[in-house]
Amino acid sequence: MNKRLLIVSNRLPLTIEKTGNELTCRQSSGGLIAAVSAYLGNDGKDAFTEKIWIGAPGCSSEDWSVASKPHQSDYQYKPVFIEAEQYEAYYNGFSNSLLWPLFHYFPSYAEYQPETFEAYMDVNRSFAEMLSTQIRIGDVVWIHDYHLLPLAGMLRKRFPDLTIGLFLHIPFPAYELFRVIPKTWQRELLTGMLGADLIGFHTMEYAAYFLSALELELKLKSEDSVVFWDDRHVKVEAFPISIDFKNFQEAAEQEAVAAKRQNYLQLKEDKKMLFSVDRLDYTKGIYNRIRAYKNFLLEHPEYMGKIVFTLVIVPSRDGIKTYTDRKSAIDEYIGDLNGTLGTLDWKPIIYQYQHLEFEDLVALYTVCDVALITPMRDGMNLVAKEFVASRTDQQGVLILSEMAGAAKELTEALLINPNDEQGIGAAIKTALNMPAEEQRERMTAMQERIGSYDVNTWAADFFEQLAKVKTLQEKYAVQLLDTFSRARLLNDYAAAKQRLILLDYDGTLVPFASEPHLAQPTPELLSVLEELGRDERNDVYIISGRDGTTLTKWLGHLPVGLIAEHGAKTKLKNAEWTNKTTVPENNYLLGVEKLMTTYVNKCPHSFIEHKEFSLAWHYRKAEPFQAKIRADELYKELVNYTGPLPLDVLNGHKVIEVRNRMINKGMAVLEILKTKNYDHILCLGDDQTDEDMFKILTTVKAACTIKVGDTPSFAHYNIYSPYQVQSLLQTMVEYPEVVKN
Ligand code: GDG
């Protein structure tokens, strides 16, 4: 099958440089490019028939047309040309002077300039324009990183069925940080991201922070890391990015690398070597690293002359002041350190400020004794993984910041806090004295872990999950109960001997009324329910969110079972009400009540409704402006409070309800299914709470589920209105007689 992959990232994976009239072109370095191109050169070769990489080329269209691009058989390049001034505001401005610092917990570096936000949105629109000319039916679009957060949403508007995956290469911050972004921008970012079908992060932590931003900002609740937005399911998941493990293992053994290694060994002599390589960035903790190294030397003068730190920094984002400032500070510090502690024949730090060839990189990974990787924050950090993969000798020690995503996997590294210079010094000492056997044990454990989840597994995992979301979305689509399906349903019902009929009340059996107490059953409805209930082969249940008293008053005389408060109370046919016994003693609700009471005091005319298994704070009678603010506050507090507890917070129309998570209509249906072996099950409902029943019944062969209304659902079918429900029930009552005749 012809399956195309469109990879979209801010920049194409190459750098075109102009010296005088000459144009040179090389593959760029950086984590995103390293990972994605490694995949495309490996398993990605056969997974897709065509691969197109779309991004800004970093040069004008004139230069692009004459520059000779590096030979590349794995994918094609499609440049997006952006006018220089706009690109500057989008890239150095919004992306790297707001999103980057904020998402890496440097809020004081963040700049909030409306014109850069405008440019950010405009550039994303240009990407959407360009993609629209490329996209064909069946394409998979894979968007990368923080520069393009709104793009998925823009594409979704034009291509409702398109398969879109989004992967964020940097951390997603805790809500307290994210919320400092102006509200309208926050919404554009979040809703834009939700245009994707699958949103991937490096760690569970980042995914959880994103879900909490959705919940607190957009009131979107997730279930099993899936949210429902704009009539689609969107999955949020962690995929720890990795490296081409095999390539690094093989490279370590290559002749070209061995020759370079020999050179470095000669330079190193009998000294111990620390090594690090990073892009120039304040998040990478380079400054802290060299200060910690200096302190280490001062505290352990016995290492003077016996150790060398090879520090490679790759130029990056030199158009931003925080970066150029940082570079000057580092240059100055290294100069001072080498000048004051070094001697004529020993430099404590060997410093290079330029890109390394791949062979040099691997040679240095394999020649050093210690890799010192100390970011203040890092989405993942591939350098740590590459160092581990390259050590085919199973020697060498990794010192790694616990603030890097990689620390979650590389637990056998010496983990340090990058702000703790003493701690870094102590780790250097431990590393330099670590016995060979311990180095081997730690290295082997880390190699096994990243060897089995390499960049191919990472990408395959991502595409597998993406396909799964698409299947879920297809299942959850509108499918009207047509004449043929209706006839089959009636035949199955007529033939069955043990039938279960589950009926929601409001919106399903009766239309919504202006006031809840006006939605009483009509005589026709009562009569059809009576007839259904009287048939010995039928177990009929009305299963509702209403309280037991109302249900008893309206339906208590019928030969049917009643389930109230979403499953908290049950009244079997001709029996009394019983409460659900598996519900844990609800002390948790006391804390909820306390919180709600403070809001009753703060918000005049709001009040608490005590149901038997839930509490609801109503604010429909309060002054609207104030009530809205209080409701937002209370909702956030309740979400925080109930986070670890078995409680759900529901944000309804002018009401916030907290109820026990163990209680929902799905659980109630499970209980009923345990009692008998039904050969026909019919379930009808109209709202979100009924989806719990539909979901449970998707795995039950004898079940037919029907959603009332024309919105997507887990139910097998949709029908339009309660009138059609009544007509269906009426035909069922009459149908067996027709068969008998
Ligand atoms: C972002 C996130 C996340 C670096 N210098 C040279 C060179 N490199 C290569 C390394 C490695 C890559 O660049 C750097 O990757 P990192 O992961 O360490 O860092 P970022 O560039 O900040 O990447 C990061 C990553 O995206 C992936 O999602 O892990 O957290 O910030 O592959 O080898 N390669 C060569 N010469 C160099 O001088 N040949």
Side-chain angles (χ1 to χ4, degrees):
M1 201 186 92
N2 200 23
K3 198 167 169 203
R4 305 190 326 154
L5 175 66
L6 310 185
I7 303 132
V8 196
S9 64
N10 161 50
R11 284 287 298 270
L12 284 175
L14 38 79
T15 305
I16 297 175
E17 278 152 1
K18 201 169 188 179
T19 350
N21 277 340
E22 204 171 315
L23 289 170
T24 49
C25 203
R26 65 169 168 82
Q27 169 108 5
S28 325
S29 48
L32 183 168
I33 291 171
V36 177
S37 33
Y39 167 70
L40 294 176
N42 277 272
D43 289 8
K45 266 192 202 307
D46 301 325
F48 297 90
T49 45
E50 219 179 306
K51 284 135 295 193
I52 304 170
W53 197 318
I54 293 153
C59 66
S60 66
S61 57
E62 295 77 36
D63 286 351
W64 175 260
S65 58
V66 293
S68 58
K69 280 61 121 194
H71 175 68
Q72 179 53 264
S73 57
D74 295 330
Y75 47 85
Q76 305 160 39
Y77 300 110
K78 283 272 179 243
V80 184
F81 295 106
I82 311 285
E83 189 263 315
E85 205 177 314
Q86 192 179 50
Y87 188 83
E88 161 74 21
Y90 141 87
Y91 181 73
N92 283 339
F94 196 79
S95 302
N96 286 322
S97 296
L98 173 54
L99 294 180
W100 177 273
L102 200 65
F103 282 29
H104 284 89
Y105 294 74
F106 281 83
S108 58
Y109 287 12
E111 292 169 18
Y112 306 86
Q113 289 168 347
E115 52 289 2
T116 66
F117 176 69
E118 285 312 318
Y120 181 78
M121 295 302 285
D122 285 344
V123 170
N124 272 269
R125 272 180 218 116
S126 302
F127 269 75
E129 278 300 323
M130 154 67 182
L131 273 151
S132 303
T133 64
Q134 300 294 319
I135 288 167
R136 296 193 210 143
I137 289 174
D139 282 354
V140 174
V141 175
W142 194 14
I143 302 173
H144 289 269
D145 234 356
Y146 60 102
H147 317 86
L148 301 173
L149 297 182
L151 179 58
M154 295 171 178
L155 289 176
R156 180 64 61 204
K157 285 203 181 105
R158 297 172 189 220
F159 305 94
D161 298 328
L162 184 65
T163 303
I164 310 177
L166 165 67
F167 190 83
L168 188 67
H169 290 259
I170 63 172
F172 193 90
Y175 181 65
E176 277 309 304
L177 248 121
F178 184 74
R179 72 187 301 187
V180 306
I181 300 177
K183 240 190 175 37
T184 46
W185 303 359
Q186 278 182 46
R187 288 186 157 245
E188 292 287 0
L189 298 176
L190 294 177
T191 57
M193 291 171 81
L194 286 171
D197 300 300
L198 174 65
I199 306 173
F201 297 90
H202 287 310
T203 70
M204 296 295 294
E205 207 173 26
Y206 308 155
Y209 287 150
F210 175 68
L211 287 173
S212 75
L214 292 183
E215 179 155 7
L216 296 168
E217 207 38 61
L218 303 180
K219 312 281 178 278
L220 265 190
K221 235 181 138 38
S222 63
E223 200 180 317
D224 298 332
S225 300
V226 173
V227 291
F228 190 62
W229 173 255
D230 209 10
D231 284 350
R232 281 177 316 113
H233 285 96
V234 179
K235 172 103 179 153
V236 175
E237 190 51 280
F239 303 92
I241 202 168
S242 196
I243 54 164
D244 187 351
F245 185 79
K246 214 164 122 232
N247 185 38
F248 279 91
Q249 290 249 306
E250 286 170 3
E253 305 295 323
Q254 272 167 15
E255 259 175 48
V257 172
K260 299 263 184 189
R261 186 161 49 233
Q262 211 43 46
N263 273 345
Y264 289 121
L265 276 172
Q266 273 167 15
L267 289 174
K268 181 184 170 213
E269 297 171 329
D270 56 352
K271 294 186 203 61
K272 293 279 189 186
M273 187 198 274
L274 307 183
F275 173 60
S276 71
V277 52
D278 322 73
R279 282 184 308 97
L280 175 69
D281 203 299
Y282 48 84
T283 62
K284 299 288 180 186
I286 303 170
Y287 197 69
N288 292 41
R289 189 182 311 163
I290 50 182
R291 276 176 34 163
Y293 176 61
K294 182 177 178 186
N295 284 346
F296 167 79
L297 289 175
L298 292 173
E299 276 181 26
H300 300 282
E302 67 276 19
Y303 284 100
M304 300 267 195
K306 297 196 177 116
I307 187 170
V308 63
F309 184 3
T310 306
L311 180 81
V312 178
I313 301 179
V314 182
S316 163
R317 302 177 197 167
D318 41 20
I320 304 176
K321 190 167 177 303
T322 39
Y323 286 72
T324 40
D325 286 354
R326 180 75 19 168
K327 160 89 171 50
S328 315
I330 291 170
D331 286 354
E332 211 172 291
Y333 198 89
I334 294 176
D336 182 59
L337 193 158
N338 277 345
T340 51
L341 298 187
T343 57
L344 288 179
D345 56 0
W346 172 62
K347 264 203 216 164
I349 296 187
I350 299 177
Y351 170 41
Q352 169 173 317
Y353 181 63
Q354 52 177 291
H355 180 86
L356 282 171
E357 289 305 317
F358 180 72
E359 287 74 20
D360 287 292
L361 179 73
V362 181
L364 284 163
Y365 282 150
T366 50
V367 89
C368 70
D369 299 280
V370 179
L372 187 57
I373 302 173
T374 59
M376 309 304 283
R377 285 278 163 180
D378 214 335
M380 175 55 71
N381 195 294
L382 295 182
V383 168
K385 292 190 172 181
E386 292 169 1
F387 165 68
V388 169
S390 309
R391 297 310 293 239
T392 46
D393 60 351
Q394 271 96 34
Q395 291 298 293
V397 182
L398 172 63
I399 299 180
L400 178 62
S401 162
E402 60 193 17
M403 305 295 180
K408 299 267 181 294
E409 291 165 88
L410 301 176
T411 44
E412 289 78 8
L414 297 180
L415 296 179
I416 50 92
N417 177 325
N419 296 308
D420 176 8
E421 288 171 15
Q422 292 289 323
I424 300 176
I428 295 176
K429 178 101 194 320
T430 310
L432 294 175
N433 292 291
M434 189 180 286
E437 197 40 45
E438 186 179 342
Q439 294 185 34
R440 183 179 307 281
E441 272 169 25
R442 289 173 182 260
M443 199 49 95
T444 314
M446 294 192 282
Q447 287 183 345
E448 275 170 12
R449 203 163 305 125
I450 52 172
S452 59
Y453 196 94
D454 68 357
V455 73
N456 292 307
T457 333
W458 167 74
D461 194 7
F462 188 88
F463 291 122
E464 198 181 311
Q465 293 295 329
L466 188 53
K468 275 195 186 156
V469 194
K470 285 315 245 191
T471 315
L472 175 74
Q473 290 173 352
E474 275 161 26
K475 249 197 224 166
Y476 192 88
V478 176
Q479 200 184 348
L480 289 179
L481 183 73
D482 54 27
T483 325
F484 176 74
S485 316
R486 192 174 195 269
R488 204 175 54 196
L489 164 68
L490 291 168
N491 277 334
D492 288 351
Y493 172 76
K497 302 204 166 36
Q498 196 70 256
R499 307 142 169 171
L500 174 63
I501 300 168
L502 301 159
L503 304 165
D504 166 53
Y505 185 75
D506 292 278
T508 300
L509 292 177
V510 296
F512 284 105
S514 54
E515 294 280 333
H517 69 272
L518 298 177
Q520 290 162 0
T522 58
E524 294 76 22
L525 175 64
L526 290 173
S527 143
V528 76
L529 291 175
E530 169 98 38
E531 284 196 64
L532 272 178
R534 253 198 283 121
D535 189 324
E536 301 244 304
R537 289 164 294 181
N538 291 350
D539 284 348
V540 180
Y541 286 88
I542 314 290
I543 179 162
S544 165
R546 284 193 182 251
D547 60 78
T549 317
T550 312
L551 292 184
T552 312
K553 193 165 93 192
W554 288 348
L555 307 162
H557 60 289
L558 296 173
V560 302
L562 299 177
I563 295 176
E565 290 194 32
H566 303 286
K569 292 165 70 81
T570 303
K571 179 184 174 308
L572 296 178
K573 185 157 84 177
N574 305 325
E576 291 306 310
W577 285 102
T578 53
N579 291 343
K580 189 168 175 351
T581 49
T582 53
V583 178
E585 205 37 58
N586 226 338
N587 289 333
Y588 303 132
L589 282 180
L590 293 179
V592 171
E593 186 176 10
K594 217 165 130 199
L595 263 176
M596 285 182 171
T597 309
T598 58
Y599 279 82
V600 169
N601 297 336
K602 282 198 238 180
C603 182
H605 306 297
S606 69
F607 63 94
I608 301 175
E609 181 191 0
H610 293 82
K611 297 194 193 177
E612 248 175 281
F613 295 95
S614 65
L615 285 173
W617 180 74
H618 292 270
Y619 56 94
R620 59 173 178 259
K621 293 181 178 159
E623 191 278 310
F625 181 72
Q626 189 194 164
K628 171 84 189 63
I629 296 171
R630 293 301 185 209
D632 276 353
E633 286 171 7
L634 175 61
Y635 180 79
K636 282 170 194 165
E637 285 208 46
L638 286 170
V639 168
N640 280 337
Y641 174 76
T642 56
L645 306 176
L647 298 173
D648 271 335
V649 185
L650 309 176
N651 208 346
H653 183 63
K654 306 246 168 170
V655 58
I656 296 177
E657 185 166 354
V658 178
R659 69 165 196 218
N660 202 299
R661 197 168 286 165
M662 294 297 290
I663 294 175
N664 64 55
K665 291 184 178 180
M667 300 299 257
V669 169
L670 266 185
E671 295 290 319
I672 300 172
L673 291 180
K674 282 187 206 150
T675 59
K676 274 186 204 163
N677 229 345
Y678 293 104
D679 55 357
H680 181 78
I681 301 170
L682 175 66
C683 175
L684 285 133
D686 75 300
D687 76 7
Q688 208 50 38
T689 61
D690 299 315
E691 293 297 322
D692 292 328
M693 299 197 276
F694 300 151
K695 260 189 267 174
I696 293 280
L697 292 171
T698 46
T699 53
V700 180
K701 206 162 151 256
C704 174
T705 51
I706 303 179
K707 158 114 179 178
V708 185
D710 59 1
T711 49
S713 162
F714 279 108
H716 297 113
Y717 301 108
N718 290 64
I719 56 179
Y720 284 123
S721 67
Y723 300 105
Q724 284 178 308
V725 175
Q726 268 198 47
S727 137
L728 177 69
L729 297 180
Q730 193 60 49
T731 320
M732 280 163 57
V733 167
E734 290 158 8
Y735 201 73
E737 305 307 325
V738 176
V739 168
K740 271 180 222 151
N741 294 340

